Amino acid sequence: MGNYEFNRESRLLTPGHFKQVFDNPTRYGSNHFTILITSNSDDNNRLGMAIAKKRVKLAVQRNRLKRLTRESFRLNQHKLPAVDLVVMVKSGIDKLDNDAINQQLEKIWRKIIQRHKS
């Protein structure tokens, strides 16, 4: 049973961390998300978010997306392989309700878990 916390170790903090993911990513996507992942050497997963103002105008909506993404990641991180992820969003995501957003995230977590079974 993994721990369900989301702390400093669970986050990509520096531009360097993000760069590692952007340099050589595997992409997973849905209608409104693009998630880039890179395997990391540590045993824990790290989450970074790049939610552009261009895609989601209102700060309140960007913050809602971040909250939902963090929570979904927190609940699923123990199932995921050791990876660094950067979550990006596509236009129109701010029109979705929380359930729809959670469903898309769940689907992507499942895809990532499936592909990294080996």
Side-chain angles (χ1 to χ4, degrees):
M1 192 65 188
N3 67 352
Y4 286 95
E5 58 192 14
F6 184 79
N7 54 20
R8 209 172 154 79
E9 276 72 64
S10 315
R11 305 204 318 256
L12 294 177
L13 295 167
T14 65
H17 291 165
F18 277 90
K19 186 172 169 2
Q20 279 175 334
V21 179
F22 284 121
D23 280 349
N24 192 5
T26 311
R27 286 170 178 271
Y28 291 88
S30 70
N31 306 352
H32 291 91
F33 283 101
T34 302
I35 296 187
L36 307 177
I37 72 170
T38 320
S39 35
N40 68 19
S41 45
D42 312 330
D43 247 0
N44 54 351
N45 309 341
R46 295 187 304 179
L47 172 71
M49 288 186 262
I51 296 183
K53 259 187 208 162
K54 184 175 165 186
R55 305 267 173 259
V56 184
K57 294 277 183 282
L58 299 173
V60 59
Q61 293 288 10
R62 287 195 301 278
N63 294 336
R64 177 178 71 111
L65 288 169
K66 290 177 188 175
R67 270 198 311 277
L68 290 166
T69 306
R70 263 196 300 266
E71 183 60 8
S72 177
F73 174 77
R74 188 179 73 79
L75 297 171
N76 289 286
Q77 62 185 353
H78 62 285
K79 297 182 222 153
L80 294 167
V83 290
D84 288 345
L85 313 95
V86 174
V87 175
M88 301 190 304
V89 298
K90 301 176 187 167
S91 301
I93 190 161
D94 47 356
K95 308 281 182 288
L96 298 182
D97 65 357
N98 294 0
D99 280 346
I101 289 169
N102 278 322
Q103 279 166 359
Q104 290 200 16
L105 285 167
E106 289 291 324
K107 221 179 254 166
I108 297 172
W109 302 143
R110 276 201 301 275
K111 255 190 238 167
I112 293 171
I113 293 160
Q114 220 94 62
R115 288 221 195 128
H116 285 76
K117 280 259 157 56
S118 52

